[in-house]
């Protein structure tokens, strides 16, 4: 056995609706010795992302469910502390799908593991606006939304890492950009700090009218992150020829029976003048990983993309932070600082 002890958050039982005490628990075990070709990574930062919740259910979505007893899936940023692979040296900083744990062993040939190139930005940004959520926002907007200068782009969950990149990229492309976010403080930040033209507070009680007022020329691109009442309000304002990249619908992720949820596909598919709409996965552009990451990192380094973070301290606080994120308690990218 190695000298290390691993702590991990595992799926103890499948949550029914919101996550409750006992669904996710912390377990501890010794780290085994490395075999030839393997690498031991110490997690520094863990990314909390909405998609992790549907993966706790027993239904197959676009990815397999997490097994009972297995660590919760997730991407992290970590440092190589031991290596028996010629590809990685002790001290390398990598992003990998380690799951929610303090140490992980990967094969040196494992896919989706990237050495972090230094662009002079904080390391954890490679899990946020310069990482998977940033690439999701950028690629989904540019390749599925296909915005043109002068068009109106609406994005929900506007203050989160995906929405932040969507909105600021659309502004750079010359669009009128309207965010939708929960609460006055987030909306003020989206306009004043991120530079969106408007931001509608869907919790203020006047969503349909407020959105109509913010989009006097209708909506040409709707970047879907949330579903539910926001989707229904957007659907009434779409222009002919509109495009809707369906990135996710977080309002339904805690549903007890996901087969009964009204999804954005139901809402947009029922329209007489249907927008061009489809679900996409960020991995469709895996071949552009390095190129898009470098672009976003450069944008962050030069202050063209601004962002916010909410940081939970230690793995012990990961579950509460995750539960909060699904209700909008996070402000910007939700991270866990696992170790210094
Ligand atoms: P965020 O950091 O924006 O967190 C989720 C946000 O959703 C919350 O902060 C909250 O913001 C909002 N929200 C929660 N419940 C509701 C509700 N009932 N109605 C409206 N909004 C709600 O998340 P990300 O930026 O990381 O992710 C955004 C979306 O992108 C998610 O749907 C996610 O699943 C998806 N995604 C998809 C990928 C893909 O490849 N297709 C890859 C990565 C992410 P507020 O307080 O403003 O309501």
């Amino acid at each position: 056995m190695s000298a290390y002890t691993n702590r991990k958050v595992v799926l103890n039982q499948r949550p029914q609706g919101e996550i409750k005490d006992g669904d996710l628990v912390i377990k501890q075990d010794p780290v085994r010795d490395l075999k030839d070709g393997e690498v031991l990574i110490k997690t520094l930062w863990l990314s909390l992302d909405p998609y992790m919740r549907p993966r706790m259910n027993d239904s197959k979505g676009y990815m397999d469910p997490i097994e009972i007893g297995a660590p919760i899936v997730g991407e992290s940023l970590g440092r190589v502390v031991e290596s028996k692979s010629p590809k990685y040296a002790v001290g390398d900083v990598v992003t990998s799908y380690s799951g929610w744990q303090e140490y992980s062993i990967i094969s040196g040939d494992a896919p989706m593991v990237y050495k972090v190139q230094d662009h002079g930005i904080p390391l954890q940004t490679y899990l946020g606006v310069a990482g998977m959520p940033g690439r999701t926002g950028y690629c989904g907007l540019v390749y599925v939304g296909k915005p043109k200068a002068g068009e109106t782009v609406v994005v929900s969950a506007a203050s989160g890492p995906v929405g932040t990149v969507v909105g600021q990229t659309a502004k750079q492309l010359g669009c009128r950009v309207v965010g939708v976010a929960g609460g006055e403080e987030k909306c003020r930040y989206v306009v004043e700090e991120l530079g969106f033209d408007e931001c509608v507070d869907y919790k203020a009680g006047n969503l349909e009218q407020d959105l109509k007022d913010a989009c006097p020329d209708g909506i040409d691109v709707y970047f879907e992150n949330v579903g539910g009442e926001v989707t229904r309000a957007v659907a009434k304002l779409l222009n002919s020829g509109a495009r809707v990249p369906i990135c996710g619908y977080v309002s339904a992720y805690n549903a007890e029976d996901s087969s009964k949820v009204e999804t954005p596909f139901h809402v947009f598919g029922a329209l007489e003048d249907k927008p061009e709409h489809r679900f996409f996965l960020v991995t469709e552009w895996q071949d552009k990983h390095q190129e898009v990451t470098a672009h976003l990192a450069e944008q962050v380094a030069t202050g063209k993309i601004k962002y916010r973070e909410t940081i939970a301290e230690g793995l012990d606080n990961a579950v509460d932070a995750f539960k909060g994120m699904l209700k909008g308690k996070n402000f910007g990218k939700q991270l866990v600082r696992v170790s210094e």
Side-chain angles (χ1 to χ4, degrees), residues 48-52 62 132-133 136-137 156-164 180-183 186 202-203 223-230 246-253 279-283 285 324-334:
L48 297 184
D49 298 86
Y51 75 85
M52 297 161 173
Y62 54 84
M132 186 281 280
T136 301
S156 44
S159 68
V162 174
T164 291
V180 180
K186 284 186 179 177
Y202 73 94
K203 291 182 175 167
F223 193 101
E224 173 68 286
N225 280 327
V226 301
E229 58 170 337
V230 177
I246 300 179
C247 178
Y249 34 104
V250 66
S251 68
Y253 289 0
F279 179 71
F280 71 90
L281 272 179
V282 60
T283 44
W285 301 280
M325 183 185 65
L326 294 175
K327 294 183 186 165
K329 283 196 184 156
N330 62 315
F331 196 157
K333 175 67 201 167
Q334 179 68 59

Short mmCIF file of all heavy atoms in Angstrom, two decimals, residues 48-52 62 132-133 136-137 156-164 180-183 186 202-203 223-230 246-253 279-283 285 324-334, ligand 1:
data_model
loop_
_atom_site.label_atom_id
_atom_site.label_comp_id
_atom_site.label_asym_id
_atom_site.label_seq_id
_atom_site.Cartn_x
_atom_site.Cartn_y
_atom_site.Cartn_z
N LEU A 48 -18.09 21.20 -9.58
CA LEU A 48 -19.46 20.70 -9.38
C LEU A 48 -20.30 21.18 -10.56
O LEU A 48 -20.33 22.38 -10.85
CB LEU A 48 -20.05 21.21 -8.06
CG LEU A 48 -19.30 20.75 -6.80
CD1 LEU A 48 -20.03 21.23 -5.54
CD2 LEU A 48 -19.13 19.23 -6.76
N ASP A 49 -20.95 20.25 -11.24
CA ASP A 49 -21.71 20.57 -12.45
C ASP A 49 -23.10 19.94 -12.37
O ASP A 49 -23.24 18.81 -11.89
CB ASP A 49 -20.99 20.00 -13.69
CG ASP A 49 -19.62 20.60 -13.87
OD1 ASP A 49 -18.65 20.08 -13.27
OD2 ASP A 49 -19.51 21.60 -14.58
N PRO A 50 -24.10 20.66 -12.90
CA PRO A 50 -25.48 20.15 -12.80
C PRO A 50 -25.69 18.73 -13.35
O PRO A 50 -26.49 17.97 -12.82
CB PRO A 50 -26.28 21.18 -13.62
CG PRO A 50 -25.47 22.45 -13.54
CD PRO A 50 -24.05 22.00 -13.50
N TYR A 51 -24.95 18.34 -14.41
CA TYR A 51 -25.19 17.03 -15.05
C TYR A 51 -24.99 15.85 -14.09
O TYR A 51 -25.44 14.73 -14.34
CB TYR A 51 -24.28 16.84 -16.28
CG TYR A 51 -22.84 16.53 -15.94
CD1 TYR A 51 -22.42 15.22 -15.69
CD2 TYR A 51 -21.88 17.53 -15.84
CE1 TYR A 51 -21.11 14.93 -15.36
CE2 TYR A 51 -20.56 17.26 -15.51
CZ TYR A 51 -20.17 15.96 -15.27
OH TYR A 51 -18.88 15.68 -14.92
N MET A 52 -24.28 16.10 -12.97
CA MET A 52 -24.00 15.01 -12.04
C MET A 52 -25.28 14.48 -11.39
O MET A 52 -25.35 13.31 -11.02
CB MET A 52 -23.05 15.51 -10.94
CG MET A 52 -21.70 15.93 -11.50
SD MET A 52 -20.82 16.99 -10.35
CE MET A 52 -19.24 17.14 -11.20
N TYR A 62 -27.68 10.24 -21.61
CA TYR A 62 -26.63 10.16 -22.61
C TYR A 62 -25.35 9.56 -22.01
O TYR A 62 -24.38 9.32 -22.70
CB TYR A 62 -26.37 11.53 -23.27
CG TYR A 62 -26.09 12.66 -22.31
CD1 TYR A 62 -24.79 12.86 -21.84
CD2 TYR A 62 -27.09 13.53 -21.90
CE1 TYR A 62 -24.51 13.88 -20.96
CE2 TYR A 62 -26.82 14.56 -21.03
CZ TYR A 62 -25.53 14.73 -20.57
OH TYR A 62 -25.26 15.75 -19.70
N MET A 132 -14.42 22.97 -19.21
CA MET A 132 -15.55 22.29 -19.86
C MET A 132 -16.79 23.19 -19.99
O MET A 132 -17.36 23.29 -21.08
CB MET A 132 -15.84 20.99 -19.09
CG MET A 132 -16.88 20.10 -19.70
SD MET A 132 -18.55 20.65 -19.36
CE MET A 132 -18.79 20.05 -17.69
N PRO A 133 -17.21 23.89 -18.92
CA PRO A 133 -18.40 24.75 -19.09
C PRO A 133 -18.17 25.88 -20.10
O PRO A 133 -19.06 26.20 -20.89
CB PRO A 133 -18.65 25.31 -17.69
CG PRO A 133 -17.95 24.36 -16.76
CD PRO A 133 -16.75 23.86 -17.51
N THR A 136 -18.38 24.48 -23.50
CA THR A 136 -19.79 24.18 -23.78
C THR A 136 -20.50 25.43 -24.28
O THR A 136 -21.20 25.40 -25.31
CB THR A 136 -20.48 23.69 -22.48
OG1 THR A 136 -19.80 22.53 -22.01
CG2 THR A 136 -21.94 23.37 -22.73
N GLY A 137 -20.32 26.52 -23.56
CA GLY A 137 -20.97 27.77 -23.94
C GLY A 137 -20.48 28.26 -25.29
O GLY A 137 -21.28 28.63 -26.17
N SER A 156 -30.19 31.52 -20.59
CA SER A 156 -30.63 31.34 -19.21
C SER A 156 -29.47 30.84 -18.36
O SER A 156 -28.42 30.48 -18.89
CB SER A 156 -31.82 30.36 -19.17
OG SER A 156 -31.59 29.25 -20.01
N ALA A 157 -29.67 30.81 -17.03
CA ALA A 157 -28.56 30.57 -16.08
C ALA A 157 -27.39 31.47 -16.47
O ALA A 157 -26.24 31.05 -16.59
CB ALA A 157 -28.15 29.09 -16.02
N ALA A 158 -27.71 32.75 -16.66
CA ALA A 158 -26.77 33.69 -17.30
C ALA A 158 -25.53 33.98 -16.48
O ALA A 158 -24.49 34.31 -17.03
CB ALA A 158 -27.50 35.00 -17.62
N SER A 159 -25.61 33.85 -15.15
CA SER A 159 -24.43 34.19 -14.34
C SER A 159 -23.53 33.00 -14.08
O SER A 159 -22.45 33.14 -13.53
CB SER A 159 -24.87 34.81 -12.99
OG SER A 159 -25.51 33.83 -12.20
N GLY A 160 -23.95 31.80 -14.51
CA GLY A 160 -23.12 30.60 -14.34
C GLY A 160 -22.02 30.56 -15.40
O GLY A 160 -22.00 31.38 -16.32
N PRO A 161 -21.11 29.59 -15.29
CA PRO A 161 -19.98 29.57 -16.23
C PRO A 161 -20.37 29.38 -17.68
O PRO A 161 -19.77 29.99 -18.57
CB PRO A 161 -19.12 28.40 -15.72
CG PRO A 161 -20.03 27.58 -14.88
CD PRO A 161 -21.03 28.51 -14.30
N VAL A 162 -21.39 28.55 -17.95
CA VAL A 162 -21.81 28.37 -19.34
C VAL A 162 -22.43 29.67 -19.85
O VAL A 162 -22.02 30.22 -20.89
CB VAL A 162 -22.81 27.20 -19.47
CG1 VAL A 162 -23.35 27.11 -20.88
CG2 VAL A 162 -22.17 25.87 -19.07
N GLY A 163 -23.40 30.20 -19.10
CA GLY A 163 -24.10 31.41 -19.52
C GLY A 163 -23.18 32.62 -19.65
O GLY A 163 -23.33 33.43 -20.57
N THR A 164 -22.23 32.71 -18.75
CA THR A 164 -21.26 33.81 -18.77
C THR A 164 -20.49 33.84 -20.09
O THR A 164 -20.31 34.90 -20.69
CB THR A 164 -20.26 33.56 -17.60
OG1 THR A 164 -20.94 33.75 -16.38
CG2 THR A 164 -19.07 34.47 -17.65
N VAL A 180 -31.10 35.61 -18.56
CA VAL A 180 -32.17 35.31 -17.60
C VAL A 180 -31.47 34.71 -16.39
O VAL A 180 -30.66 33.79 -16.53
CB VAL A 180 -33.20 34.31 -18.17
CG1 VAL A 180 -34.30 34.02 -17.14
CG2 VAL A 180 -33.81 34.82 -19.47
N ALA A 181 -31.74 35.26 -15.22
CA ALA A 181 -31.09 34.76 -14.00
C ALA A 181 -32.03 34.93 -12.82
O ALA A 181 -33.04 35.65 -12.91
CB ALA A 181 -29.77 35.50 -13.75
N GLY A 182 -31.70 34.28 -11.71
CA GLY A 182 -32.56 34.29 -10.53
C GLY A 182 -32.09 35.33 -9.52
O GLY A 182 -31.05 35.16 -8.89
N GLY A 183 -32.85 36.41 -9.38
CA GLY A 183 -32.56 37.42 -8.35
C GLY A 183 -31.93 38.68 -8.90
O GLY A 183 -31.22 38.67 -9.91
N LYS A 186 -27.86 38.89 -9.10
CA LYS A 186 -27.26 38.20 -10.26
C LYS A 186 -27.54 39.00 -11.53
O LYS A 186 -26.67 39.13 -12.39
CB LYS A 186 -27.83 36.77 -10.40
CG LYS A 186 -27.26 35.79 -9.38
CD LYS A 186 -27.73 34.36 -9.66
CE LYS A 186 -27.14 33.39 -8.67
NZ LYS A 186 -27.62 32.01 -8.82
N TYR A 202 -36.13 35.97 -13.46
CA TYR A 202 -37.32 35.10 -13.61
C TYR A 202 -38.03 34.87 -12.29
O TYR A 202 -39.16 34.37 -12.26
CB TYR A 202 -36.94 33.76 -14.28
CG TYR A 202 -36.17 32.81 -13.39
CD1 TYR A 202 -36.82 31.83 -12.66
CD2 TYR A 202 -34.79 32.89 -13.28
CE1 TYR A 202 -36.10 30.95 -11.85
CE2 TYR A 202 -34.06 32.03 -12.48
CZ TYR A 202 -34.72 31.07 -11.76
OH TYR A 202 -34.01 30.21 -10.95
N LYS A 203 -37.39 35.26 -11.18
CA LYS A 203 -38.03 35.09 -9.88
C LYS A 203 -38.85 36.32 -9.48
O LYS A 203 -39.49 36.32 -8.43
CB LYS A 203 -36.97 34.83 -8.81
CG LYS A 203 -36.30 33.46 -8.96
CD LYS A 203 -35.29 33.20 -7.87
CE LYS A 203 -34.71 31.80 -7.96
NZ LYS A 203 -33.53 31.63 -7.12
N PHE A 223 -30.22 30.12 -25.99
CA PHE A 223 -29.30 29.11 -25.48
C PHE A 223 -29.93 28.53 -24.22
O PHE A 223 -30.00 29.19 -23.18
CB PHE A 223 -27.93 29.74 -25.18
CG PHE A 223 -26.85 28.73 -24.95
CD1 PHE A 223 -25.93 28.42 -25.95
CD2 PHE A 223 -26.74 28.07 -23.73
CE1 PHE A 223 -24.93 27.47 -25.74
CE2 PHE A 223 -25.74 27.13 -23.52
CZ PHE A 223 -24.84 26.82 -24.52
N GLU A 224 -30.41 27.30 -24.33
CA GLU A 224 -31.23 26.68 -23.28
C GLU A 224 -30.38 26.00 -22.20
O GLU A 224 -29.67 25.04 -22.48
CB GLU A 224 -32.14 25.63 -23.93
CG GLU A 224 -32.95 24.78 -22.96
CD GLU A 224 -34.02 25.56 -22.22
OE1 GLU A 224 -33.65 26.32 -21.31
OE2 GLU A 224 -35.21 25.39 -22.57
N ASN A 225 -30.50 26.51 -20.98
CA ASN A 225 -29.81 25.89 -19.84
C ASN A 225 -30.76 25.39 -18.76
O ASN A 225 -30.32 24.63 -17.90
CB ASN A 225 -28.87 26.91 -19.18
CG ASN A 225 -27.56 27.07 -19.93
OD1 ASN A 225 -27.05 26.13 -20.52
ND2 ASN A 225 -27.02 28.28 -19.92
N VAL A 226 -32.03 25.87 -18.77
CA VAL A 226 -32.83 25.63 -17.56
C VAL A 226 -34.16 24.92 -17.78
O VAL A 226 -34.63 24.22 -16.88
CB VAL A 226 -33.07 26.95 -16.77
CG1 VAL A 226 -31.75 27.57 -16.35
CG2 VAL A 226 -33.92 27.94 -17.51
N GLY A 227 -34.84 25.12 -18.89
CA GLY A 227 -36.15 24.51 -19.09
C GLY A 227 -37.23 25.21 -18.28
O GLY A 227 -37.05 26.34 -17.80
N GLY A 228 -38.39 24.55 -18.12
CA GLY A 228 -39.46 25.05 -17.26
C GLY A 228 -40.10 26.34 -17.76
O GLY A 228 -40.27 26.54 -18.96
N GLU A 229 -40.44 27.21 -16.81
CA GLU A 229 -41.20 28.42 -17.16
C GLU A 229 -40.41 29.36 -18.06
O GLU A 229 -40.98 30.09 -18.87
CB GLU A 229 -41.67 29.16 -15.90
CG GLU A 229 -40.53 29.57 -14.99
CD GLU A 229 -40.96 30.52 -13.87
OE1 GLU A 229 -41.98 31.19 -13.97
OE2 GLU A 229 -40.21 30.56 -12.87
N VAL A 230 -39.09 29.35 -17.94
CA VAL A 230 -38.27 30.24 -18.80
C VAL A 230 -38.43 29.79 -20.26
O VAL A 230 -38.63 30.61 -21.16
CB VAL A 230 -36.79 30.22 -18.37
CG1 VAL A 230 -35.94 31.07 -19.30
CG2 VAL A 230 -36.63 30.68 -16.93
N ILE A 246 -29.87 23.25 -27.27
CA ILE A 246 -30.35 22.75 -25.98
C ILE A 246 -29.16 22.14 -25.24
O ILE A 246 -28.67 21.06 -25.58
CB ILE A 246 -31.51 21.76 -26.15
CG1 ILE A 246 -32.68 22.48 -26.87
CG2 ILE A 246 -31.96 21.21 -24.79
CD1 ILE A 246 -33.89 21.63 -27.12
N CYS A 247 -28.71 22.88 -24.25
CA CYS A 247 -27.49 22.52 -23.52
C CYS A 247 -27.85 21.70 -22.29
O CYS A 247 -27.14 20.76 -21.93
CB CYS A 247 -26.80 23.83 -23.14
SG CYS A 247 -25.31 23.60 -22.19
N GLY A 248 -28.95 22.06 -21.63
CA GLY A 248 -29.40 21.34 -20.44
C GLY A 248 -30.69 21.97 -19.95
O GLY A 248 -31.14 22.98 -20.49
N TYR A 249 -31.33 21.32 -18.96
CA TYR A 249 -32.55 21.92 -18.37
C TYR A 249 -32.57 21.60 -16.89
O TYR A 249 -33.26 20.71 -16.41
CB TYR A 249 -33.83 21.51 -19.09
CG TYR A 249 -33.90 20.11 -19.66
CD1 TYR A 249 -34.64 19.12 -19.02
CD2 TYR A 249 -33.26 19.81 -20.86
CE1 TYR A 249 -34.72 17.84 -19.55
CE2 TYR A 249 -33.33 18.53 -21.39
CZ TYR A 249 -34.06 17.55 -20.73
OH TYR A 249 -34.13 16.29 -21.26
N VAL A 250 -31.79 22.39 -16.18
CA VAL A 250 -31.49 22.13 -14.77
C VAL A 250 -32.73 22.16 -13.88
O VAL A 250 -32.76 21.48 -12.85
CB VAL A 250 -30.38 23.09 -14.28
CG1 VAL A 250 -30.81 24.52 -14.27
CG2 VAL A 250 -29.81 22.69 -12.94
N SER A 251 -33.79 22.87 -14.29
CA SER A 251 -34.99 22.94 -13.44
C SER A 251 -35.61 21.56 -13.25
O SER A 251 -36.39 21.35 -12.32
CB SER A 251 -36.03 23.90 -14.02
OG SER A 251 -36.57 23.41 -15.22
N ALA A 252 -35.29 20.61 -14.12
CA ALA A 252 -35.89 19.27 -14.03
C ALA A 252 -34.96 18.24 -13.41
O ALA A 252 -35.35 17.08 -13.24
CB ALA A 252 -36.29 18.80 -15.43
N TYR A 253 -33.74 18.61 -13.06
CA TYR A 253 -32.76 17.59 -12.67
C TYR A 253 -33.10 16.89 -11.35
O TYR A 253 -32.64 15.79 -11.11
CB TYR A 253 -31.35 18.20 -12.60
CG TYR A 253 -30.74 18.55 -13.94
CD1 TYR A 253 -31.42 18.33 -15.14
CD2 TYR A 253 -29.47 19.10 -14.02
CE1 TYR A 253 -30.87 18.66 -16.36
CE2 TYR A 253 -28.90 19.42 -15.25
CZ TYR A 253 -29.60 19.21 -16.40
OH TYR A 253 -29.04 19.53 -17.61
N PHE A 279 -30.31 18.99 -28.93
CA PHE A 279 -29.43 18.81 -27.79
C PHE A 279 -28.01 18.65 -28.33
O PHE A 279 -27.81 18.06 -29.40
CB PHE A 279 -29.84 17.57 -27.00
CG PHE A 279 -28.97 17.29 -25.81
CD1 PHE A 279 -29.01 18.11 -24.70
CD2 PHE A 279 -28.09 16.21 -25.81
CE1 PHE A 279 -28.19 17.86 -23.61
CE2 PHE A 279 -27.28 15.95 -24.71
CZ PHE A 279 -27.33 16.79 -23.61
N PHE A 280 -27.06 19.17 -27.62
CA PHE A 280 -25.67 18.94 -28.01
C PHE A 280 -24.86 18.59 -26.78
O PHE A 280 -25.24 18.89 -25.66
CB PHE A 280 -25.08 20.18 -28.70
CG PHE A 280 -24.84 21.32 -27.73
CD1 PHE A 280 -23.62 21.43 -27.08
CD2 PHE A 280 -25.83 22.23 -27.45
CE1 PHE A 280 -23.39 22.45 -26.16
CE2 PHE A 280 -25.61 23.26 -26.54
CZ PHE A 280 -24.39 23.37 -25.89
N LEU A 281 -23.74 17.94 -27.02
CA LEU A 281 -22.78 17.63 -25.94
C LEU A 281 -21.46 18.32 -26.27
O LEU A 281 -21.03 18.29 -27.42
CB LEU A 281 -22.54 16.13 -25.87
CG LEU A 281 -23.46 15.31 -25.00
CD1 LEU A 281 -23.08 13.84 -25.08
CD2 LEU A 281 -23.41 15.76 -23.55
N VAL A 282 -20.84 18.85 -25.27
CA VAL A 282 -19.56 19.55 -25.48
C VAL A 282 -18.53 18.63 -26.13
O VAL A 282 -17.65 19.08 -26.88
CB VAL A 282 -19.06 20.15 -24.14
CG1 VAL A 282 -18.84 19.08 -23.09
CG2 VAL A 282 -17.80 20.96 -24.35
N THR A 283 -18.65 17.32 -25.89
CA THR A 283 -17.66 16.38 -26.43
C THR A 283 -17.76 16.25 -27.97
O THR A 283 -16.87 15.66 -28.58
CB THR A 283 -17.84 15.00 -25.78
OG1 THR A 283 -19.24 14.70 -25.74
CG2 THR A 283 -17.29 14.96 -24.38
N TRP A 285 -17.08 18.47 -29.83
CA TRP A 285 -15.95 19.26 -30.32
C TRP A 285 -14.67 18.91 -29.54
O TRP A 285 -13.83 19.75 -29.32
CB TRP A 285 -16.27 20.76 -30.20
CG TRP A 285 -17.50 21.10 -30.99
CD1 TRP A 285 -17.58 21.31 -32.34
CD2 TRP A 285 -18.84 21.22 -30.49
NE1 TRP A 285 -18.88 21.54 -32.71
CE2 TRP A 285 -19.67 21.50 -31.60
CE3 TRP A 285 -19.42 21.11 -29.23
CZ2 TRP A 285 -21.05 21.67 -31.47
CZ3 TRP A 285 -20.79 21.29 -29.11
CH2 TRP A 285 -21.58 21.56 -30.22
N GLY A 324 -27.03 23.08 -3.18
CA GLY A 324 -27.31 24.52 -3.32
C GLY A 324 -27.25 24.97 -4.77
O GLY A 324 -28.07 25.77 -5.23
N MET A 325 -26.29 24.42 -5.52
CA MET A 325 -26.13 24.84 -6.91
C MET A 325 -27.37 24.53 -7.74
O MET A 325 -27.75 25.28 -8.62
CB MET A 325 -24.92 24.14 -7.52
CG MET A 325 -24.65 24.57 -8.94
SD MET A 325 -23.33 23.64 -9.66
CE MET A 325 -24.06 22.05 -9.70
N LEU A 326 -28.00 23.39 -7.43
CA LEU A 326 -29.19 23.02 -8.20
C LEU A 326 -30.37 23.93 -7.89
O LEU A 326 -31.40 23.88 -8.57
CB LEU A 326 -29.56 21.55 -7.93
CG LEU A 326 -28.54 20.53 -8.43
CD1 LEU A 326 -28.93 19.13 -7.99
CD2 LEU A 326 -28.38 20.58 -9.94
N LYS A 327 -30.22 24.78 -6.86
CA LYS A 327 -31.28 25.75 -6.54
C LYS A 327 -30.80 27.18 -6.79
O LYS A 327 -31.46 28.13 -6.37
CB LYS A 327 -31.66 25.63 -5.07
CG LYS A 327 -32.30 24.33 -4.70
CD LYS A 327 -32.68 24.41 -3.24
CE LYS A 327 -33.19 23.10 -2.74
NZ LYS A 327 -33.22 23.06 -1.28
N GLY A 328 -29.62 27.32 -7.39
CA GLY A 328 -29.14 28.67 -7.70
C GLY A 328 -28.44 29.38 -6.55
O GLY A 328 -28.25 30.59 -6.60
N LYS A 329 -28.04 28.63 -5.52
CA LYS A 329 -27.34 29.30 -4.40
C LYS A 329 -25.92 29.71 -4.80
O LYS A 329 -25.32 30.58 -4.17
CB LYS A 329 -27.28 28.39 -3.17
CG LYS A 329 -28.61 28.33 -2.45
CD LYS A 329 -28.46 27.76 -1.07
CE LYS A 329 -29.83 27.63 -0.42
NZ LYS A 329 -29.86 26.61 0.62
N ASN A 330 -25.38 29.05 -5.82
CA ASN A 330 -24.05 29.45 -6.31
C ASN A 330 -24.16 30.76 -7.06
O ASN A 330 -25.20 31.10 -7.63
CB ASN A 330 -23.49 28.38 -7.26
CG ASN A 330 -24.35 28.18 -8.50
OD1 ASN A 330 -25.58 28.10 -8.40
ND2 ASN A 330 -23.75 28.12 -9.66
N PHE A 331 -23.07 31.51 -7.08
CA PHE A 331 -23.00 32.73 -7.89
C PHE A 331 -21.75 32.57 -8.74
O PHE A 331 -20.64 32.75 -8.26
CB PHE A 331 -22.93 33.95 -6.96
CG PHE A 331 -23.24 35.26 -7.64
CD1 PHE A 331 -23.67 36.35 -6.88
CD2 PHE A 331 -23.10 35.43 -9.00
CE1 PHE A 331 -23.96 37.56 -7.48
CE2 PHE A 331 -23.39 36.63 -9.61
CZ PHE A 331 -23.81 37.70 -8.85
N GLY A 332 -21.92 32.16 -9.99
CA GLY A 332 -20.78 31.82 -10.84
C GLY A 332 -20.38 30.37 -10.63
O GLY A 332 -21.10 29.59 -9.99
N LYS A 333 -19.22 30.01 -11.16
CA LYS A 333 -18.78 28.60 -11.14
C LYS A 333 -18.67 28.04 -9.73
O LYS A 333 -17.97 28.60 -8.89
CB LYS A 333 -17.41 28.52 -11.85
CG LYS A 333 -16.77 27.15 -11.79
CD LYS A 333 -17.53 26.13 -12.59
CE LYS A 333 -17.21 24.72 -12.14
NZ LYS A 333 -18.16 23.75 -12.69
N GLN A 334 -19.32 26.91 -9.48
CA GLN A 334 -19.24 26.27 -8.16
C GLN A 334 -18.08 25.28 -8.15
O GLN A 334 -18.03 24.32 -8.93
CB GLN A 334 -20.54 25.53 -7.85
CG GLN A 334 -20.51 24.81 -6.51
CD GLN A 334 -20.48 25.76 -5.31
OE1 GLN A 334 -21.38 26.57 -5.13
NE2 GLN A 334 -19.44 25.66 -4.47
P1 LIG B 1 -24.68 27.06 -13.23
O1 LIG B 1 -23.45 27.38 -12.49
O2 LIG B 1 -25.31 28.15 -14.02
O3 LIG B 1 -25.68 26.45 -12.17
C1 LIG B 1 -26.97 26.10 -12.46
C2 LIG B 1 -27.90 27.32 -12.39
O4 LIG B 1 -29.17 26.96 -12.86
C3 LIG B 1 -28.17 27.83 -10.99
O5 LIG B 1 -27.14 28.67 -10.50
C4 LIG B 1 -29.46 28.59 -11.18
O6 LIG B 1 -29.16 29.93 -11.58
C5 LIG B 1 -30.11 27.89 -12.39
N1 LIG B 1 -31.35 27.22 -11.96
C6 LIG B 1 -31.48 26.27 -11.04
N2 LIG B 1 -32.78 25.91 -10.94
C7 LIG B 1 -33.46 26.66 -11.84
C8 LIG B 1 -34.83 26.75 -12.20
N3 LIG B 1 -35.78 25.98 -11.61
N4 LIG B 1 -35.18 27.62 -13.18
C9 LIG B 1 -34.24 28.39 -13.76
N5 LIG B 1 -32.92 28.34 -13.45
C10 LIG B 1 -32.55 27.49 -12.49
O7 LIG B 1 -24.45 25.83 -14.21
P2 LIG B 1 -23.51 25.64 -15.49
O8 LIG B 1 -23.19 26.96 -16.09
O9 LIG B 1 -22.39 24.75 -15.11
O10 LIG B 1 -24.46 24.79 -16.46
C11 LIG B 1 -25.54 25.40 -17.12
C12 LIG B 1 -26.28 24.34 -17.95
O11 LIG B 1 -25.40 23.78 -18.91
C13 LIG B 1 -26.86 23.17 -17.16
O12 LIG B 1 -28.13 22.86 -17.65
C14 LIG B 1 -25.89 22.04 -17.48
O13 LIG B 1 -26.47 20.78 -17.32
C15 LIG B 1 -25.55 22.37 -18.90
N6 LIG B 1 -24.31 21.75 -19.43
C16 LIG B 1 -24.40 21.00 -20.56
C17 LIG B 1 -23.28 20.47 -21.15
C18 LIG B 1 -23.41 19.75 -22.43
O14 LIG B 1 -22.41 19.22 -22.95
N7 LIG B 1 -24.61 19.69 -23.01
C19 LIG B 1 -21.96 20.61 -20.52
C20 LIG B 1 -21.96 21.47 -19.34
C21 LIG B 1 -23.10 22.01 -18.82
P3 LIG B 1 -30.20 31.13 -11.24
O15 LIG B 1 -29.99 31.47 -9.81
O16 LIG B 1 -29.84 32.19 -12.17
O17 LIG B 1 -31.55 30.54 -11.46
#
